[in-house]
Every structure is written in structure tokens, then in C-alpha cells.
């Protein structure tokens, strides 16, 4: 088996030639011309192949003058190699006269597309303002024929505009294709890359990219100038915070905002409260009075072509005069002279002395001024505040400044009263209790406690657990150098019921059953102590009847029966607790008692008779006397008397 392999373009040409020779008798002969590459860059190498199916061809391949290829020929093919293409108008003609086909002539010609890679983009501004229209211009490379070039603008990978011409043009004319793309700058386009792509048309809807160039756009928005938010007057040598804000700016992170005063930049801090606002604050401490100009400047440091924008304002720096108020301390009943003074006034000033919002004295001055007010010292005025207020009129009346000094009136007086406060309203046994005492006076009074006349040194009395012995009269005394006051509270100890006792028919019951006879009259009494006075409640056996509730804690049974037998419970209750006592009542039946008496008497009589009989027998035996027993009579009288038995008494 033979192995056929194609190893070169020449062998490929021979294969095509062979195929067409085999079919030439049917189809005639054919002529082909092709180039490698299909489009060539000016100065690069090129190979032109011409082939035919004619078995006996006369092949002619001629170029314009000055073009000399390296040629190789075969029977029905020709290959020309050009190391460097130096002509823009490069046509490859091929003509064949086929002797075996009646000397028929066929010609093929191919115009080779020649190009260079000189692509130019007209650079846009370094930064584009949002909402303005701009254009991107791309000048394509030199290509002949001209209609073989396509210029395309890409936004990322998206085609936004494509341009080409239908005219071939002239090879000696360097007429470049242009593609101008217009667009409106936007924030979304910031950082977007645009690419101009140059391609040559190879036919059959195929193109070959030859070169491209890209540009990345930067956009900004700077619609409004900065605005100074703080324009109020400032007191000399007092720190003030100035704020400047730039709204509607993009990109906010690239905006620079600075403060200047007399051409000197002030230290500032920049914040961005939201995505399109820049805010800068500075702390300013003016050293001299007068109108001072401060300037806020905003710009994009990275974009020098964007002009900066400014805002400036003249701020009034003023000197506020010294202010003083004097309110002397005075004992109750004496007059108090209150003085309000202002010194070193430079400008129009209104001076007022106030008590809360009430104006007591009000005067104006442009140099210095003191105003006075007299009040009688009373205890109720102690602690009242008096305000010395100065209002300085500035150039802008709406920005007048006010300074205040406040002093407090202190009246010396004896304690007005002693007030006692209890932590718990009631004194409950076992609970804690606190007693505090307050007395309003100036100077602050001292506090002393006594109980039933006994001195207690503590100002606050703390009783962790109230007991009965804590009852009594507690007296609080408040005193200072101007007098004393006292107040008392009487403690009554409240406790739950206790010491509960019960009695039956005036006999105290101590936990053992009480036995009563049927028919007895019964009085059951329950007693207890407690504060407040407790209520007593009896609970009788469920089968008991004819039980009368007497006075509190008394049960009365007029005629006791077996139905009244059982447990009687006394429950004693007040708001602090409960106590209980029980009485066990037993009732004896009278009928059974009588039977028992008769039984005991009968047994006693029998025992007595037995004892008497035994005694008589014993006496008879001692004296030797006998007695004849009662025997039945003889049946026939024939028995002898000596057969009758004798019984001896002992």
C-alpha cells in the first residue's frame, strides 16, 4: 500500500493540478491565483501562487515595473515570493494559454490589500464633565484599496459605532478613514474604556484585526460652588468651628476642600456625610478684632484642568467687655444690694439685671456701666438666682451677642421646720424601718434624734428588725446658729396574732381532751393578742347543732349531746398573720352510767353475802355444833337414824 502525504504548498498545487487534468476533458481548464497572507502589511513578505488545470499551459505572471519576485515554476504552476512589499498598488495577474485545449486563453488577477498599523486617537480632555457632550475621533491606518478597511469603536466589548467606505481610492493618495463617536459624559461612564479597532476585509464575511488603540475616560460633576455654613460673629481669642460644604460633587473622594485666612491655609478635617457631599471643618481662633475674611476653596487635585471654586465671607471678630455680678450673703431680715457691672465697653451695649425672665433693671452704655437692685433677705428667697446680662450690638443686628453672669442669693435663717420621713408607713414586727429627718435652714442644720427622752446620735435611724421594745416616741431636732425646730413620731408596733388560749367552762384547755356529760351546759372561749386587733372565728364539728355564737370568741352550747362531740378550731387573723387553737370535746352518755352503777352495786351485794356466809361457817366449826342437813324422808321407815349424815360447822 502506497503512503501519500502532502508536505508543502507546491505539492498541494500539484494535487489540484492533477485533479483538474483528470477532469479537464469534461470541464475545460481552470486558473487560480492566491496569496499568503491574504492581506499584507507594507514592508512584510508575500507569496503569490498561480496554478491551472491545463495539461500543456503557457503561463505568464507579470507585475508592474520595479517589482521583481523570486520565482519557482512547475509544469502547471508558478510561485512568486516577495521579501518586502514596497508598493501600495499591488496586483497579481496570471494568464494561461492552454495548448491542449485549442490554445484557449484564461486570465486571473488579484489585488492584494496592503496596510500599515498607524492608528491615531484624538485624546479627549483628561476629565469630562458630566452631562456634557464629547467626541472620540479615531484615524485609521493607511490601507489600499480603501474600501477594505473597517474602523469600529468598542465600549468595553460592546460595539457602539462602525465605519467603512465603499470607494477603493487611489494608491498614491494617503486618505485615511475616520470614525468620530459622540457621547454624553455620565457618572456611570467614569473609568470606562473605549477602543478603536482597525480590521481589513478578507471577503466571505471574514475580517482580520490589524491594530487597535484604547482610551479610558474620567468624569466629574462639580455643579455648585462650596458654601460656608458658619457666618456668625466670633469673640476674639475664642475658638470657633467653621464649616464649608460642597454638594452635588462626583467623585466626592477626589474632591479637596481647604480653608484659608489671609492667604494662610488653616488646619481642617474633611468628612463625606454621603456619596456626593464633601464637608470640611476648621477650628479658628482669631487674635484681633475686626472684619476677617475667610475663604473656602474646592478643587480636584488630580484634575488640574478643572477650575477650582471658592466661597468667602467676612466674619466680625469682636471683643466682649468684662461682666461681673455681686450678690452678698445676708441674714434674714437684712437688705441685700445686688450689683451688675460691665467694663471696657467698646460699642453699644444693653445691660440688664434679671430674676429668672423678669427684668429688674435695664440700662444702655457705650463705655462702662453698673446697675443696682435691693431686696429684703427672706428665707423663701434663699437659693434664688440673679442674672447679669449684657447684649452687645454688632454690625449685623441679627447677630448681636449676649453674655451672662449668674449668682445665687444666700439668706441665713433658722430652720423652718423639722420633717420626718419613714421608709415604711407602718411599724411591723420583724420588718426594717428607717427614719430620716430634714430641716430647711441656712447654714444647713444639724440633726439630733431622741427616743422617749433618750438621746440618739445618729442622723438616720436604721432598725433592721422592728421589735416590741422599739415602740415609743421618736423626736427629731434640727438646729443651726439661728434657731431650732423639732418634730415627733409615735411608733406603734403592729404584729400578727399570738398567745392564743382556749377555755371550756372557765377551765383553760392545754391540749388534752375535755370530757363533758350529756346534758351539760358548755361555754367555750378563745382569746388572743395582736395589732391590729384580730378577728376570731370558731369552726365547730360538722354534725354539731344548737351552737350559739356569743360575743367575739365565745361559743355556747345549752344542752350538750353526743352530736357536739369533736374538734373545735379557733382561727385568729389580722392583716399580718394567723394563729390557731383546737379543743377536743368528749360527751358521756348518762343511761350507760346508771347501768354501770346498778351492775357495780349488785356485784357488791353478792360479794358481801358470800363473805357473811363464810364467816358464819367458820364460827360454827370453832364451837363444835353440828346441824342436820335437810335430807329426803325415808322411804319405808326401816332405815336407821344413824345413817343420816351429819355436817360439822367449822
Amino acid at each position: 500500500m502506497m503512503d501519500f502525504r502532502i508536505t508543502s504548498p507546491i505539492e498541494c498545487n500539484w494535487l489540484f493540478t492533477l485533479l483538474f487534468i483528470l477532469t479537464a476533458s469534461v470541464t475545460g481548464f481552470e486558473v487560480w491565483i492566491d496569496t499568503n497572507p491574504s492581506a499584507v502589511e507594507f514592508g512584510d513578505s508575500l507569496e503569490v501562487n498561480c496554478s491551472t488545470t491545463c495539461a500543456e499551459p503557457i503561463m505568464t505572471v507579470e507585475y508592474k515595473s520595479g517589482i521583481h519576485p523570486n520565482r519557482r515554476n512547475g509544469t502547471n504552476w508558478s510561485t512568486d515570493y516577495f521579501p518586502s512589499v514596497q508598493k501600495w498598488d499591488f496586483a497579481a495577474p496570471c494568464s494561461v494559454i492552454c495548448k491542449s485545449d485549442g490554445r484557449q486563453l484564461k486570465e486571473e488577477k488579484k489585488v492584494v490589500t496592503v496596510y500599515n498599523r498607524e492608528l491615531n486617537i484624538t485624546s479627549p480632555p483628561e476629565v469630562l464633565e458630566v452631562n456634557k457632550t464629547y467626541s472620540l475621533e479615531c484615524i485609521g491606518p493607511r490601507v489600499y484599496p480603501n474600501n477594505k478597511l473597517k474602523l469600529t469603536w468598542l465600549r468595553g466589548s460592546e460595539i457602539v459605532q462602525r465605519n467603512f467606505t465603499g470607494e477603493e481610492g487611489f494608491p498614491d493618495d494617503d486618505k485615511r478613514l475616520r470614525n468620530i463617536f459622540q457621547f454624553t459624559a455620565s457618572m456611570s461612564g467614569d473609568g470606562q474604556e473605549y477602543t478603536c479597532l482597525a480590521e481589513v476585509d478578507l471577503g466571505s464575511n471574514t475580517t482580520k484585526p490589524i491594530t487597535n488603540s484604547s482610551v479610558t475616560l474620567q468624569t466629574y460633576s462639580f455643579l455648585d460652588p462650596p458654601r460656608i455654613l458658619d457666618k456668625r460673629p466670633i469673640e476674639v481669642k475664642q475658638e470657633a468651628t467653621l464649616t464649608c460644604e460642597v454638594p452635588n460633587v462626583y467623585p466626592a473622594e477626589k474632591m479637596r476642600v481647604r480653608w484659608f485666612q489671609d492667604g494662610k491655609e488653616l488646619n481642617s478635617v474633611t468628612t463625606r456625610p454621603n456619596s456626593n457631599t464633601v464637608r470640611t471643618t476648621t477650628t479658628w481662633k482669631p487674635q484681633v478684632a475686626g472684619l476677617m475674611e475667610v475663604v473656602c476653596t474646592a478643587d480636584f487635585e488630580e484634575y488640574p484642568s478643572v477650575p477650582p471654586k471658592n466661597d468667602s465671607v467676612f466674619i466680625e471678630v469682636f471683643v466682649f467687655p468684662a461682666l461681673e455680678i455681686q450678690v452678698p450673703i445676708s441674714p434674714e431680715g437684712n437688705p441685700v444690694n445686688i450689683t451688675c457691672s460691665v467694663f471696657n465697653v467698646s460699642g453699644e451695649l444693653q445691660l440688664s439685671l434679671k430674676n429668672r425672665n423678669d427684668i429688674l433693671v435695664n440700662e444702655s452704655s457705650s463705655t462702662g456701666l453698673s446697675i443696682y437692685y435691693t431686696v429684703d433677705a427672706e428665707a423663701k428667697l434663699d437659693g434664688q438666682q440673679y442674672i447679669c446680662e449684657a447684649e452687645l450690638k454688632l454690625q449685623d443686628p441679627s447677630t448681636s451677642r449676649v453674655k451672662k453672669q449668674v449668682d445665687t442669693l444666700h439668706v441665713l435663717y433658722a430652720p423652718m421646720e423639722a420633717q420626718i420621713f419613714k421608709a415604711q408607713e407602718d411599724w411591723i414586727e420583724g420588718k426594717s424601718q428607717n427614719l430620716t429627718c430634714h430641716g430647711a435652714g441656712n447654714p444647713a442644720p444639724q440633726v439630733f434624734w431622741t427616743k422617749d427622752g433618750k438621746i440618739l446620735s445618729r442622723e438616720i435611724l436604721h432598725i433592721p428588725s422592728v421589735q416590741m421594745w422599739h415602740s415609743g416616741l421618736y423626736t427629731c431636732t434640727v438646729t443651726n446658729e439661728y434657731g431650732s425646730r423639732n418634730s415627733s413620731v409615735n411608733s406603734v408596733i403592729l404584729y400578727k396574732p399570738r398567745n392564743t388560749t382556749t377555755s371550756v367552762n372557765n377551765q383553760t384547755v392545754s391540749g388534752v381532751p375535755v370530757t363533758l356529760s350529756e346534758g351539760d351546759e358548755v361555754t367555750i372561749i378563745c382569746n388572743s393578742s395582736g395589732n391590729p386587733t384580730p378577728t376570731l372565728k370558731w369552726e365547730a364539728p360538722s354534725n354539731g347543732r344548737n351552737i350559739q355564737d356569743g360575743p367575739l370568741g365565745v361559743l355556747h352550747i345549752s344542752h350538750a349531746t353526743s352530736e357536739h362531740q369533736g374538734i373545735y378550731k379557733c382561727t385568729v387573723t389580722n392583716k399580718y398573720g394567723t394563729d390557731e387553737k383546737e379543743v377536743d370535746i368528749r360527751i358521756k352518755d348518762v343511761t350507760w352510767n346508771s347501768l354501770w352503777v346498778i351492775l357495780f352495786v349488785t356485784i357488791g351485794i353478792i360479794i358481801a353475802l358470800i363473805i357473811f356466809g363464810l364467816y358464819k361457817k367458820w364460827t360454827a366449826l370453832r364451837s363444835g355444833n353440828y346441824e342436820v342437813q335437810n335430807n329426803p324422808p325415808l322411804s319405808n321407815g326401816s332405815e336407821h337414824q344413824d345413817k343420816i349424815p351429819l355436817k360439822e360447822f367449822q
Side-chain angles (χ1 to χ4, degrees):
M1 186 176 192
M2 299 182 66
D3 184 11
F4 294 96
R5 296 184 181 178
I6 299 174
T7 59
S8 69
I10 296 175
E11 293 178 349
C12 181
N13 290 334
W14 275 109
L15 178 62
F16 280 109
T17 302
L18 178 61
L19 291 174
F20 279 99
I21 289 174
L22 294 176
T23 59
S25 59
V26 178
T27 60
F29 73 96
E30 297 290 337
V31 177
W32 295 278
I33 188 168
D34 63 83
T35 63
N36 184 25
S38 300
V40 63
E41 183 177 0
F42 190 89
D44 276 2
S45 63
L46 177 69
E47 185 178 84
V48 179
N49 297 306
C50 181
S51 58
T52 180
T53 59
C54 178
E56 297 180 66
I58 301 174
M59 299 183 66
T60 304
V61 181
E62 295 182 356
Y63 301 94
K64 289 185 177 181
S65 63
I67 299 177
H68 305 288
N70 297 323
R71 177 172 295 172
R72 291 177 298 159
N73 292 319
T75 303
N76 56 353
W77 59 270
S78 176
T79 298
D80 294 336
Y81 176 74
F82 300 89
S84 176
V85 175
Q86 297 295 320
K87 297 288 186 179
W88 289 99
D89 181 11
F90 196 98
C94 181
S95 61
V96 176
I97 299 174
C98 189
K99 293 189 291 181
S100 59
D101 195 6
R103 304 187 68 87
Q104 185 178 355
L105 173 65
K106 285 190 177 181
E107 293 182 333
E108 288 291 334
K109 180 180 180 180
K110 183 174 183 180
V111 177
V112 180
T113 302
V114 182
Y115 63 88
N116 65 18
R117 300 179 186 270
E118 297 173 1
L119 182 70
N120 294 310
I121 294 179
T122 303
S123 298
E126 63 172 347
V127 61
L128 312 180
E129 188 173 358
V130 169
N131 295 329
K132 282 192 174 182
T133 301
Y134 296 89
S135 61
L136 291 175
E137 183 178 11
C138 178
I139 301 175
R142 183 175 180 179
V143 177
Y144 183 80
N146 291 346
N147 60 354
K148 296 297 183 177
L149 176 64
K150 292 185 178 181
L151 284 181
T152 304
W153 274 110
L154 302 171
R155 181 170 52 222
S157 59
E158 175 191 4
I159 297 176
V160 293
Q161 184 168 290
R162 174 169 283 166
N163 195 13
F164 57 90
T165 179
E167 298 177 359
E168 291 186 5
F170 299 98
D172 295 334
D173 292 340
D174 187 6
K175 188 175 182 180
R176 308 290 182 97
L177 180 64
R178 296 172 182 264
N179 190 344
I180 300 175
F181 172 63
Q182 288 190 331
F183 64 96
T184 300
S186 65
M187 288 186 289
S188 62
D190 186 38
Q192 180 66 62
E193 183 181 63
Y194 284 82
T195 302
C196 180
L197 174 64
E199 302 169 286
V200 291
D201 187 1
L202 301 179
S204 302
N205 294 324
T206 60
T207 59
K208 174 184 178 181
I210 57 174
T211 187
N212 65 78
S213 182
S214 299
V215 62
T216 300
L217 304 183
Q218 304 293 331
T219 63
Y220 78 94
S221 176
F222 192 7
L223 300 177
D224 303 316
R227 57 189 182 190
I228 297 174
L229 304 182
D230 303 294
K231 303 178 182 180
R232 295 170 294 177
I234 300 173
E235 188 173 357
V236 68
K237 296 184 179 181
Q238 298 294 317
E239 282 192 350
T241 300
L242 303 179
T243 302
C244 179
E245 185 176 273
V246 186
N248 303 317
V249 62
Y250 177 84
E253 64 273 10
K254 293 184 179 180
M255 170 64 69
R256 178 178 60 173
V257 183
R258 295 175 292 169
W259 280 98
F260 294 90
Q261 198 269 317
D262 284 342
K264 181 181 178 181
E265 184 175 354
L266 305 176
N267 292 329
S268 60
V269 176
T270 299
T271 59
R272 293 170 178 82
N274 54 56
S275 60
N276 62 352
T277 301
V278 181
R279 185 178 296 160
T280 300
T281 58
T282 184
T283 301
W284 184 41
K285 189 176 183 179
Q287 299 299 312
V288 295
L291 287 177
M292 300 291 180
E293 183 183 22
V294 290
V295 179
C296 176
T297 299
D299 64 356
F300 289 104
E301 186 176 9
E302 296 183 17
Y303 308 142
S305 61
V306 179
K309 295 182 181 180
N310 302 321
D311 187 21
S312 64
V313 65
F314 284 91
I315 296 179
E316 184 177 3
V317 181
F318 63 91
V319 177
F320 208 105
L323 191 64
E324 183 181 274
I325 183 172
Q326 295 179 348
V327 183
I329 299 174
S330 177
E332 188 175 20
N334 293 345
V336 180
N337 294 318
I338 303 172
T339 305
C340 175
S341 303
V342 65
F343 309 98
N344 302 324
V345 177
S346 178
E348 185 180 355
L349 182 138
Q350 187 80 23
L351 188 63
S352 304
L353 181 61
K354 296 181 178 181
N355 175 228
R356 297 186 179 91
N357 293 325
D358 299 330
I359 298 177
L360 306 177
V361 185
N362 189 12
E363 293 187 24
S364 299
S365 175
S366 59
T367 55
L369 180 64
S370 293
I371 55 178
Y372 307 93
Y373 184 76
T374 302
V375 63
D376 291 331
E378 300 180 40
K380 65 180 181 180
L381 298 180
D382 182 49
Q384 278 204 358
Q385 290 187 332
Y386 290 86
I387 303 168
C388 181
E389 181 178 282
E391 181 181 4
L392 182 65
K393 304 294 185 181
L394 301 177
Q395 291 186 2
D396 183 357
S398 64
T399 59
S400 297
R401 300 305 296 265
V402 175
K403 182 178 284 188
K404 298 179 182 180
Q405 288 286 342
V406 181
D407 202 357
T408 302
L409 174 61
H410 296 286
V411 179
L412 304 176
Y413 62 96
M416 301 178 65
E417 62 176 333
Q419 292 181 299
I420 295 177
F421 300 92
K422 297 182 291 183
Q424 308 293 336
E425 183 62 29
D426 294 329
W427 295 67
I428 304 171
E429 186 179 25
K431 302 292 185 181
S432 64
Q433 179 66 283
N434 280 350
L435 292 180
T436 57
C437 183
H438 297 289
N442 193 6
Q446 293 181 319
V447 179
F448 299 95
W449 281 98
T450 62
K451 178 181 180 294
D452 298 332
K454 183 180 178 181
I455 296 177
L456 305 174
S457 60
R458 291 172 293 183
E459 293 187 1
I460 298 177
L461 294 181
H462 174 63
I463 303 173
S465 179
V466 173
Q467 303 299 323
M468 296 301 296
W469 51 269
H470 286 120
S471 64
L473 184 67
Y474 292 82
T475 301
C476 165
T477 301
V478 292
T479 181
N480 65 12
E481 58 187 282
Y482 295 99
S484 299
R485 294 287 187 275
N486 60 62
S487 182
S488 299
V489 60
N490 188 34
S491 64
V492 178
I493 311 303
L494 304 177
Y495 58 95
K496 67 180 182 179
R498 62 188 179 198
N499 301 326
T500 303
T501 60
T502 56
S503 65
V504 178
N505 293 343
N506 296 325
Q507 296 295 320
T508 301
V509 177
S510 59
V512 298
V514 178
T515 303
L516 301 173
S517 297
E518 189 171 7
D520 285 351
E521 182 177 358
V522 184
T523 300
I524 308 174
I525 299 175
C526 181
N527 288 310
S528 185
S529 62
N531 193 10
T533 301
T535 59
L536 294 91
K537 179 181 178 182
W538 277 104
E539 183 181 343
S542 59
N543 58 354
R545 292 181 296 176
N546 299 323
I547 299 176
Q548 299 175 358
D549 249 336
L552 188 65
V554 177
L555 284 183
H556 183 71
I557 304 172
S558 59
H559 185 83
T561 68
S562 60
E563 294 179 348
H564 296 115
Q565 182 170 282
I567 302 298
Y568 291 76
K569 182 189 291 186
C570 175
T571 302
V572 187
T573 305
N574 66 12
K575 63 187 293 186
Y576 301 109
T578 299
D579 196 14
E580 294 180 347
K581 277 291 184 180
E582 293 182 348
V583 178
D584 187 2
I585 300 295
R586 309 284 177 87
I587 305 298
K588 296 187 297 184
D589 192 338
V590 176
T591 303
W592 281 101
N593 290 342
S594 299
L595 292 175
W596 280 109
V597 170
I598 294 171
L599 178 61
F600 286 140
V601 171
T602 302
I603 294 172
I605 293 172
I606 294 173
I607 293 172
L609 290 174
I610 293 172
I611 294 172
F612 179 72
L614 292 174
Y615 176 75
K616 285 186 67 176
K617 183 177 180 180
W618 177 76
T619 303
L621 290 175
R622 288 186 56 117
S623 60
N625 295 325
Y626 299 91
E627 65 176 349
V628 179
Q629 292 183 349
N630 293 326
N631 290 317
L634 298 175
S635 61
N636 51 14
S638 60
E639 289 85 354
H640 295 285
Q641 187 67 30
D642 55 3
K643 294 183 180 178
I644 299 174
L646 296 177
K647 182 179 180 183
E648 184 177 357
F649 286 92
Q650 298 186 5

